[in-house]
Amino acid sequence: MAETLGQSMAHGAAEASRRDFLKILNVAAGAVAVGAIAWPFIDALSPSRQAMSVVRPIVDVSGIAANTALRFVWLGTPIYIRKLTDKQIADNQFVVPDSLPDPASYTDRVKPGYETFVVVIGLNTGTPCELVGNDPADPRGPFDGWSCPCDGSVYDPLGRVRGGPAPKNLAIPRFTFLNDAQIQFG
Amino acid sequence: MSGTKPWLDTRLPALESFRAFFAAPVLPRERPYLATLPVLITGALIFQVLSGLVLSLFYNPADAYNSIQFIDRNINYGWLIHAFHETGTTMIFGAVFFSLFRALWLRSYKTPGEVLWFFSVAQFGLLLLVGYLGYVLADGTVSYWSLASTVSGAFGLSGFPGAIGVWFFGGADGAGTLARLVVFHAVLALAVFGILFLEYLARRGAEPKVTHGVGLHPYYTSQYFAAFVVFALIFAVLVFFAPHLGENPLNRGPADPLVLPVAVAPPWFLLPVGNVGHVFPGVWGTIFAVLARLAVLVALPWLDRSAPGKPAGFLHKLLLLVLALDVILLTVWAMQPPSLIGEVVAVLLTAYFFFHFLVLLPFFSALEAR
C-alpha cells in the first residue's frame, strides 16, 4: 500500500514537472511568435531610407580643397565644412582660450583624428545672418575665417568669434566621421 | 489566499468580474469548432486594423497608386504589411461567406435567432462596402474605372439618392474623393466591431439556456486556440504563397483615365454580390441587384416556412448545396472575359439565386414541415 502511494506520488510529481516544462515551452514559443509578428508592424512605422537620408545625410568631404569650405543645407540650416591649411592651424592652435570672447580650444572645435576639418552652422550668433568666407576670395575678416555681412562680426577659421557684436562661437552640428571621406549628420 | 483578495483585485475591482466572466459555467458542454468563426472574424478584423493603420501612415490619396508602390518597395516590411491587409480581407470574407452558409444550413435564422441573423446580414453588407472602398483605394487600372462609373452613376441620380451619392463621394473621382473614401474605409471598418458586439449580445439570446455548463476558460479558450492555429496556418500559407489571391491582375497597373481595361472584374469577394450588377440595366439596376440580394437574406426567417427548432431535412440541404454551387459558378463566371454566352449564363445563375429564395425555399420548407 505504502509502495503504491509512493509510486503514484512520484508519478504525480513527474507529471507535474512535465506539465510545467510544456507550459514554459508553450509560453516561450508563443512569446517568440508574437514578437515575430509584431516586429514587421513596428519596423514598418520607422521612416523609409529615403526619408532617413534627408534626416541623417552623408556628405562627401574628400573633394574639399584646403582653405575653402563646402556649403551644405541640412534641414534648412546652412552647414559649412571647411578644410584648414597648415598655416591656419598653426595660427589658431596655441591661442589662449581665456583671451577669447567665448573661450574654446582648438581641440574643442575639431574631431580627434580629423583635425583638418571644421564643421559649423554658418549662421552668425549675433544678428541671424548667413556668414561669408567659404571661398578664399570672399571677405573673411582679419582672422582669415568668416565675416558677417550684416553686423560685421568676424570669426576665425575654427568658427570662434573674434570680434563684433556676436556673443558666441559658431554652433557645431551633430555629426560623425564615417571615414576619411564621409561625414554623417544627425 | 483565503479571506484576502489578490493585490490587484482590490485595487481594480473590474478584474474580479472579468475573471468571473471567464469562469462562469454558462456555456454548453459541447460546441462545434465552426462556432468559433465569429471570434476568428473578430481577431482577423483586429489584425486588419493594425495593418491598415500602418498602411494609412504612408498612403497618399493625391498620389494613391505611387504611394502604394512606395509602401511595397521603400517601407520596411511594407510588402508584408500590404500582403497581410490583402490576405486578411480574403480570410475575413472567406469566414463570413462560410458562416452565412452555415447559418443557412443550420437554419439558425429561425426563432429565436432572427435578430442575430439580421446583424449577420448587416455585418456582411457593411463588410462588402468596406471591401469595395479598400479596392478602389488601390487606384489601379480596374478600380479607377470602377470608382469612375460608380461616381458618375451616383451623380446621375436625382432626388434623395443622388444627394446621398454626392454627399458620400464629394465630387468627381479624384484625389479628393479618395481622400474621403480612405476615411470612410477606416471608420466603417471600425463600425463592424460594433455590429460584432451586437451579434455577440444577440447570440446570447439565440442560444438555449444551459443548466450544467462549463466555463469559457479553459474549455473554450483551448478550443479557440486550436481553431486560431488552423486559421493562422491558412492565413500564413496565403500570405506567403498567394498574396494576390482572387485579385484582377490588371489592377496592378496604374490608372489610366483614357484606357478602359479589357477585364473589369473586381476582387473575388465582391463578385458573388457585385456581379449581378450588370444583369440589371442602368445605375438603378446595379443598386437594385445588390440591395435585392441583401433583402432576400433579411427576409429569410419568413421565407423559410419550417417550424423553429426543427433540424433541416434532406431537400433543404440539397437545395442549399445547389445554391452554393450557383453562387460559386457566378463568381467563377465573372472572372472570365465578357462574352454573349457569359451574359446569358450570368442572367440564368442570378435568376436561380432569387428563384431559390423566393420560390423553392418557401415551397419545399412548407412541404417538409407538413
Side-chain angles (χ1 to χ4, degrees):
Chain A
M1 179 68 192
E3 258 176 33
T4 358
L5 188 66
Q7 270 171 3
S8 79
M9 275 176 70
H11 182 68
E15 191 89 314
S17 76
R18 187 185 289 177
R19 181 167 291 236
D20 285 346
F21 174 72
L22 279 175
K23 207 179 201 174
I24 292 166
L25 196 70
N26 276 316
V27 169
V32 170
V34 168
I37 292 169
W39 176 252
F41 282 85
I42 296 165
D43 197 26
L45 295 181
S46 54
S48 66
R49 282 187 185 202
Q50 216 174 322
M52 275 313 277
S53 69
V54 175
V55 181
R56 308 191 63 188
I58 297 174
V59 179
D60 183 4
V61 295
S62 59
I64 302 174
N67 202 24
T68 63
L70 175 76
R71 180 182 181 272
F72 161 72
V73 178
W74 177 36
L75 301 177
T77 307
I79 305 286
Y80 293 169
I81 307 171
R82 184 172 188 146
K83 192 163 189 192
L84 302 174
T85 60
D86 292 341
K87 182 179 179 296
Q88 286 167 342
I89 294 174
D91 283 350
N92 292 286
Q93 202 168 9
F94 302 113
V95 174
V96 178
D98 287 337
S99 66
L100 299 171
D102 185 9
S105 69
Y106 171 61
T107 49
D108 292 340
R109 304 293 300 173
V110 293
K111 291 264 172 176
Y114 304 96
E115 281 95 350
T116 51
F117 287 102
V118 169
V119 182
V120 291
I121 292 173
L123 290 177
N124 185 25
T125 56
T127 308
C129 207
E130 199 177 340
L131 300 174
V132 290
N134 287 343
D135 193 84
D138 289 343
R140 283 180 159 182
F143 296 92
D144 200 23
W146 288 280
S147 69
C148 179
C150 307
D151 67 1
S153 302
V154 285
Y155 296 85
D156 67 15
L158 298 179
R160 298 181 293 194
V161 65
R162 289 298 189 93
K168 294 178 92 70
N169 298 336
L170 294 181
I172 297 177
R174 206 163 58 233
F175 72 96
T176 43
F177 273 93
L178 299 177
N179 50 50
D180 285 346
Q182 288 178 305
I183 293 181
Q184 179 159 39
F185 288 91
Chain B
M1 211 50 74
S2 62
T4 56
K5 281 185 183 174
W7 186 83
L8 200 55
D9 283 28
T10 49
R11 286 149 183 88
L12 191 63
L15 211 63
E16 208 177 355
S17 40
F18 192 63
R19 203 171 287 151
F21 165 79
F22 267 93
V26 292
L27 296 170
R29 271 158 196 268
E30 268 182 61
R31 231 189 199 178
Y33 269 92
L34 288 178
T36 58
L37 276 172
V39 173
L40 294 179
I41 291 171
T42 313
L45 258 177
I46 292 172
F47 199 67
Q48 198 76 343
V49 166
L50 290 178
S51 54
L53 192 76
V54 173
L55 294 178
S56 72
L57 293 183
F58 302 103
Y59 181 78
N60 175 13
D63 194 15
Y65 179 81
N66 289 329
S67 71
I68 293 172
Q69 295 298 313
F70 182 78
I71 290 170
D72 284 345
R73 293 157 201 273
N74 291 23
I75 298 300
N76 300 339
Y77 293 105
W79 60 273
L80 184 63
I81 307 287
H82 191 187
F84 278 162
H85 206 68
E86 286 176 310
T87 308
T89 315
T90 292
M91 291 300 285
I92 289 171
F93 273 102
V96 165
F97 277 117
F98 196 76
S99 58
L100 283 179
F101 181 75
R102 185 167 176 267
L104 295 182
W105 187 263
L106 297 176
R107 279 184 162 148
S108 53
Y109 47 80
K110 293 296 286 184
T111 316
E114 294 102 326
V115 173
L116 173 62
W117 172 249
F118 297 156
F119 287 147
S120 308
V121 177
Q123 183 209 20
F124 177 53
L126 195 55
L127 278 174
L128 281 175
L129 181 57
V130 173
Y132 177 73
L133 293 179
Y135 160 64
V136 297
L137 287 182
D139 201 29
T141 322
V142 187
S143 59
Y144 167 82
W145 278 93
S146 177
L147 181 64
S149 61
T150 306
V151 172
S152 74
F155 275 58
L157 298 174
S158 56
F160 185 61
I164 287 189
V166 172
W167 167 80
F168 190 79
F169 292 110
D173 49 302
T177 302
L178 286 180
R180 60 171 56 206
L181 292 190
V182 71
V183 176
F184 291 160
H185 176 68
V187 170
L188 293 175
L190 290 176
V192 176
F193 285 107
I195 295 192
L196 278 167
F197 183 65
L198 289 174
E199 256 184 81
Y200 165 78
L201 295 180
R203 195 169 294 114
R204 279 286 147 103
E207 278 178 346
K209 284 279 165 289
V210 180
T211 42
H212 297 291
V214 293
L216 183 68
H217 183 77
Y219 301 96
Y220 283 107
T221 44
S222 51
Q223 190 193 30
Y224 285 138
F225 184 73
F228 166 77
V229 167
V230 174
F231 192 79
L233 259 177
I234 299 171
F235 186 91
V237 168
L238 289 181
V239 163
F240 293 115
F241 295 97
H244 311 311
L245 186 76
E247 278 176 36
N248 189 337
L250 287 178
N251 206 31
R252 288 273 144 185
D256 188 338
L258 298 179
V259 178
L260 187 68
V262 281
V264 289
W268 75 270
F269 51 86
L270 294 173
L271 288 175
V273 174
N275 190 45
V276 287
H278 34 91
V279 169
F280 299 92
V283 180
W284 276 113
T286 313
I287 296 171
F288 170 76
V290 174
L291 290 184
R293 284 224 142 180
L294 294 174
V296 290
L297 288 180
V298 169
L300 195 54
W302 295 282
L303 291 174
D304 188 338
R305 311 294 300 163
S306 64
K310 205 162 166 280
F314 172 73
L315 257 178
H316 178 87
K317 289 182 174 173
L318 186 73
L319 284 174
L320 263 185
L321 287 176
V322 174
L323 178 75
L325 195 69
D326 176 74
V327 172
I328 291 170
L329 271 180
L330 198 61
T331 307
V332 173
W333 217 264
M335 291 182 182
Q336 311 303 320
S339 67
L340 184 63
I341 298 175
E343 290 291 308
V344 173
V345 172
V347 170
L348 287 178
L349 291 173
T350 306
Y352 181 79
F353 181 89
F354 290 107
F355 184 66
H356 170 92
F357 280 108
L358 298 176
V359 180
L360 289 180
L361 183 70
F363 181 70
F364 282 105
S365 59
L367 199 71
E368 274 189 340
R370 272 203 304 145

